[in-house]
Amino acid sequence: MAILQRPLFREISDVVYGKHAAISIYRAMMFNKPIGTGLSLPWHQDGGDWWSLDRDPLFFVWIAIDPATTENGCVQVIPGSHKSGILSQRGHTLTNEQVEEYCADEKIVNLECSPGEAYLCHNFLIHKSGDNKSSVSRRGISFNFTDARTKVLDPKPELSGPVGEPGQSFPVIFPSPFE
């Protein structure tokens, strides 16, 4: 829990959500791409009905445990793509037509980083990751920060993902300074 409560993350949350807002962690995940394998994730955005929330989380932090390289499936992004907002109501994976429109090879940036390094991304940033074709594991941890008023929709949208029960809220890591 201490890593989540670093003052830097409160400062970022203040800029994104406002100094008045209590902040929760919507999702904390371990990503593991074992040597020579690992799941490839298609181009997607983190938001929309797939997440089943009454408001979208706006940023995540990804911290490398192992080196993250192009060869072992580091995250790839389309810089500035978050400015277009969510590309579909469902959110999540892009259509083939959207990939053609937004994800030209010359726009792709590989987010390579060393163990202990981190990057910060807007949830609407178009991103993906490839297979691990190397002899080095690629592990990392990711945290999604959200306004603490965020709740799982009730009822959940028909095409939503598996996270949360209707009406559920999430653990507060930074209380509002007014509470």
Side-chain angles (χ1 to χ4, degrees):
M1 188 73 148
I3 193 166
L4 300 174
Q5 294 176 316
R6 296 187 97 114
L8 175 62
F9 297 143
R10 177 72 238 196
E11 291 171 24
I12 295 166
S13 296
D14 287 352
V15 171
V16 173
Y17 295 109
K19 292 183 179 190
H20 67 283
I23 303 299
S24 290
I25 289 294
Y26 162 65
R27 180 178 78 174
M29 290 180 64
M30 170 82 172
F31 288 89
N32 183 26
K33 287 188 184 270
I35 295 169
T37 181
L39 179 66
S40 179
L41 293 174
W43 289 112
H44 66 282
Q45 297 174 295
D46 293 342
D49 284 356
W50 173 256
W51 284 37
S52 308
L53 301 174
D54 64 356
R55 68 199 81 212
D56 285 309
L58 296 177
F59 77 93
F60 67 90
V61 175
W62 195 93
I63 303 170
I65 295 172
D66 299 315
T69 65
T70 303
E71 293 76 28
N72 71 3
C74 71
V75 171
Q76 298 175 299
V77 302
I78 305 298
S81 59
H82 66 288
K83 295 174 186 173
S84 297
I86 288 287
L87 299 180
S88 71
Q89 182 176 341
R90 182 171 182 255
H92 207 54
T93 54
L94 273 60
T95 65
N96 290 336
E97 294 78 23
Q98 290 167 331
V99 170
E100 283 184 34
E101 181 177 349
Y102 292 97
C103 305
D105 288 345
E106 64 272 6
K107 293 181 180 178
I108 299 170
V109 172
N110 294 312
L111 297 183
E112 295 187 309
C113 50
S114 299
E117 290 182 336
Y119 54 81
L120 172 77
C121 292
H122 193 289
N123 275 40
F124 299 169
L125 186 73
I126 298 172
H127 59 287
K128 75 171 191 167
S129 64
D131 296 332
N132 183 351
K133 298 176 181 171
S134 77
S135 60
V136 177
S137 291
R138 195 215 77 178
R139 294 174 296 168
I141 52 176
S142 176
F143 309 105
N144 276 94
F145 294 80
T146 191
D147 183 308
R149 297 173 292 180
T150 303
K151 294 193 181 324
V152 176
L153 292 171
D154 187 4
K156 290 173 70 171
E158 184 176 323
L159 297 176
S160 65
V163 176
E165 295 298 320
Q168 175 186 341
S169 57
F170 303 95
V172 174
I173 59 162
F174 296 117
S176 168
F178 304 114
E179 292 177 359

PDB file of all heavy atoms in Angstrom, residues 107-120:
ATOM      1  N   LYS A 107       3.685   6.402 -36.062  1.00  0.00           N
ATOM      2  CA  LYS A 107       3.215   7.068 -34.835  1.00  0.00           C
ATOM      3  C   LYS A 107       3.534   6.269 -33.572  1.00  0.00           C
ATOM      4  O   LYS A 107       3.459   6.795 -32.465  1.00  0.00           O
ATOM      5  CB  LYS A 107       1.698   7.270 -34.900  1.00  0.00           C
ATOM      6  CG  LYS A 107       1.244   8.254 -35.951  1.00  0.00           C
ATOM      7  CD  LYS A 107      -0.264   8.396 -35.903  1.00  0.00           C
ATOM      8  CE  LYS A 107      -0.773   9.367 -36.929  1.00  0.00           C
ATOM      9  NZ  LYS A 107      -2.248   9.464 -36.899  1.00  0.00           N
ATOM     10  N   ILE A 108       3.877   5.006 -33.704  1.00  0.00           N
ATOM     11  CA  ILE A 108       4.037   4.112 -32.548  1.00  0.00           C
ATOM     12  C   ILE A 108       5.313   4.433 -31.776  1.00  0.00           C
ATOM     13  O   ILE A 108       6.390   4.582 -32.356  1.00  0.00           O
ATOM     14  CB  ILE A 108       4.062   2.633 -33.000  1.00  0.00           C
ATOM     15  CG1 ILE A 108       2.743   2.266 -33.683  1.00  0.00           C
ATOM     16  CG2 ILE A 108       4.357   1.710 -31.821  1.00  0.00           C
ATOM     17  CD1 ILE A 108       2.757   0.910 -34.375  1.00  0.00           C
ATOM     18  N   VAL A 109       5.163   4.535 -30.451  1.00  0.00           N
ATOM     19  CA  VAL A 109       6.308   4.723 -29.551  1.00  0.00           C
ATOM     20  C   VAL A 109       6.346   3.551 -28.579  1.00  0.00           C
ATOM     21  O   VAL A 109       5.326   3.212 -27.963  1.00  0.00           O
ATOM     22  CB  VAL A 109       6.201   6.058 -28.775  1.00  0.00           C
ATOM     23  CG1 VAL A 109       7.274   6.167 -27.699  1.00  0.00           C
ATOM     24  CG2 VAL A 109       6.264   7.239 -29.735  1.00  0.00           C
ATOM     25  N   ASN A 110       7.517   2.921 -28.469  1.00  0.00           N
ATOM     26  CA  ASN A 110       7.713   1.822 -27.517  1.00  0.00           C
ATOM     27  C   ASN A 110       8.099   2.393 -26.164  1.00  0.00           C
ATOM     28  O   ASN A 110       9.039   3.192 -26.082  1.00  0.00           O
ATOM     29  CB  ASN A 110       8.823   0.883 -28.011  1.00  0.00           C
ATOM     30  CG  ASN A 110       8.435   0.169 -29.278  1.00  0.00           C
ATOM     31  OD1 ASN A 110       7.349  -0.378 -29.378  1.00  0.00           O
ATOM     32  ND2 ASN A 110       9.318   0.188 -30.257  1.00  0.00           N
ATOM     33  N   LEU A 111       7.389   2.004 -25.115  1.00  0.00           N
ATOM     34  CA  LEU A 111       7.691   2.477 -23.760  1.00  0.00           C
ATOM     35  C   LEU A 111       8.646   1.496 -23.086  1.00  0.00           C
ATOM     36  O   LEU A 111       8.262   0.715 -22.213  1.00  0.00           O
ATOM     37  CB  LEU A 111       6.408   2.649 -22.955  1.00  0.00           C
ATOM     38  CG  LEU A 111       5.421   3.685 -23.488  1.00  0.00           C
ATOM     39  CD1 LEU A 111       4.225   3.812 -22.555  1.00  0.00           C
ATOM     40  CD2 LEU A 111       6.093   5.043 -23.684  1.00  0.00           C
ATOM     41  N   GLU A 112       9.899   1.547 -23.492  1.00  0.00           N
ATOM     42  CA  GLU A 112      10.919   0.699 -22.886  1.00  0.00           C
ATOM     43  C   GLU A 112      11.349   1.333 -21.571  1.00  0.00           C
ATOM     44  O   GLU A 112      11.474   2.562 -21.470  1.00  0.00           O
ATOM     45  CB  GLU A 112      12.116   0.546 -23.824  1.00  0.00           C
ATOM     46  CG  GLU A 112      11.768  -0.181 -25.107  1.00  0.00           C
ATOM     47  CD  GLU A 112      12.986  -0.475 -25.961  1.00  0.00           C
ATOM     48  OE1 GLU A 112      13.768   0.459 -26.213  1.00  0.00           O
ATOM     49  OE2 GLU A 112      13.143  -1.636 -26.363  1.00  0.00           O
ATOM     50  N   CYS A 113      11.573   0.499 -20.564  1.00  0.00           N
ATOM     51  CA  CYS A 113      12.057   1.031 -19.285  1.00  0.00           C
ATOM     52  C   CYS A 113      12.803  -0.049 -18.508  1.00  0.00           C
ATOM     53  O   CYS A 113      12.634  -1.247 -18.747  1.00  0.00           O
ATOM     54  CB  CYS A 113      10.944   1.661 -18.458  1.00  0.00           C
ATOM     55  SG  CYS A 113       9.471   0.709 -18.217  1.00  0.00           S
ATOM     56  N   SER A 114      13.627   0.406 -17.594  1.00  0.00           N
ATOM     57  CA  SER A 114      14.436  -0.465 -16.746  1.00  0.00           C
ATOM     58  C   SER A 114      13.681  -0.797 -15.473  1.00  0.00           C
ATOM     59  O   SER A 114      12.743  -0.081 -15.091  1.00  0.00           O
ATOM     60  CB  SER A 114      15.752   0.239 -16.388  1.00  0.00           C
ATOM     61  OG  SER A 114      16.482   0.524 -17.559  1.00  0.00           O
ATOM     62  N   PRO A 115      14.103  -1.857 -14.763  1.00  0.00           N
ATOM     63  CA  PRO A 115      13.436  -2.189 -13.494  1.00  0.00           C
ATOM     64  C   PRO A 115      13.416  -0.983 -12.552  1.00  0.00           C
ATOM     65  O   PRO A 115      14.409  -0.266 -12.405  1.00  0.00           O
ATOM     66  CB  PRO A 115      14.318  -3.304 -12.931  1.00  0.00           C
ATOM     67  CG  PRO A 115      14.915  -3.951 -14.135  1.00  0.00           C
ATOM     68  CD  PRO A 115      15.158  -2.816 -15.098  1.00  0.00           C
ATOM     69  N   GLY A 116      12.237  -0.731 -11.979  1.00  0.00           N
ATOM     70  CA  GLY A 116      12.063   0.393 -11.060  1.00  0.00           C
ATOM     71  C   GLY A 116      11.607   1.670 -11.744  1.00  0.00           C
ATOM     72  O   GLY A 116      11.110   2.577 -11.083  1.00  0.00           O
ATOM     73  N   GLU A 117      11.774   1.762 -13.054  1.00  0.00           N
ATOM     74  CA  GLU A 117      11.286   2.931 -13.773  1.00  0.00           C
ATOM     75  C   GLU A 117       9.785   2.791 -13.994  1.00  0.00           C
ATOM     76  O   GLU A 117       9.250   1.682 -14.011  1.00  0.00           O
ATOM     77  CB  GLU A 117      11.991   3.094 -15.117  1.00  0.00           C
ATOM     78  CG  GLU A 117      13.432   3.499 -14.980  1.00  0.00           C
ATOM     79  CD  GLU A 117      14.120   3.707 -16.320  1.00  0.00           C
ATOM     80  OE1 GLU A 117      13.693   3.135 -17.343  1.00  0.00           O
ATOM     81  OE2 GLU A 117      15.100   4.467 -16.321  1.00  0.00           O
ATOM     82  N   ALA A 118       9.135   3.927 -14.194  1.00  0.00           N
ATOM     83  CA  ALA A 118       7.678   3.928 -14.347  1.00  0.00           C
ATOM     84  C   ALA A 118       7.282   4.883 -15.448  1.00  0.00           C
ATOM     85  O   ALA A 118       8.053   5.765 -15.832  1.00  0.00           O
ATOM     86  CB  ALA A 118       7.020   4.351 -13.042  1.00  0.00           C
ATOM     87  N   TYR A 119       6.084   4.688 -15.950  1.00  0.00           N
ATOM     88  CA  TYR A 119       5.488   5.675 -16.833  1.00  0.00           C
ATOM     89  C   TYR A 119       4.050   5.919 -16.410  1.00  0.00           C
ATOM     90  O   TYR A 119       3.420   5.085 -15.768  1.00  0.00           O
ATOM     91  CB  TYR A 119       5.604   5.315 -18.318  1.00  0.00           C
ATOM     92  CG  TYR A 119       5.080   3.963 -18.721  1.00  0.00           C
ATOM     93  CD1 TYR A 119       3.719   3.746 -18.929  1.00  0.00           C
ATOM     94  CD2 TYR A 119       5.948   2.895 -18.920  1.00  0.00           C
ATOM     95  CE1 TYR A 119       3.239   2.516 -19.310  1.00  0.00           C
ATOM     96  CE2 TYR A 119       5.467   1.655 -19.307  1.00  0.00           C
ATOM     97  CZ  TYR A 119       4.123   1.475 -19.502  1.00  0.00           C
ATOM     98  OH  TYR A 119       3.645   0.258 -19.877  1.00  0.00           O
ATOM     99  N   LEU A 120       3.574   7.084 -16.764  1.00  0.00           N
ATOM    100  CA  LEU A 120       2.242   7.552 -16.433  1.00  0.00           C
ATOM    101  C   LEU A 120       1.499   7.754 -17.742  1.00  0.00           C
ATOM    102  O   LEU A 120       2.034   8.367 -18.665  1.00  0.00           O
ATOM    103  CB  LEU A 120       2.374   8.886 -15.685  1.00  0.00           C
ATOM    104  CG  LEU A 120       1.131   9.678 -15.386  1.00  0.00           C
ATOM    105  CD1 LEU A 120       0.391   9.048 -14.215  1.00  0.00           C
ATOM    106  CD2 LEU A 120       1.514  11.117 -15.046  1.00  0.00           C
TER     107      LEU A 120
END
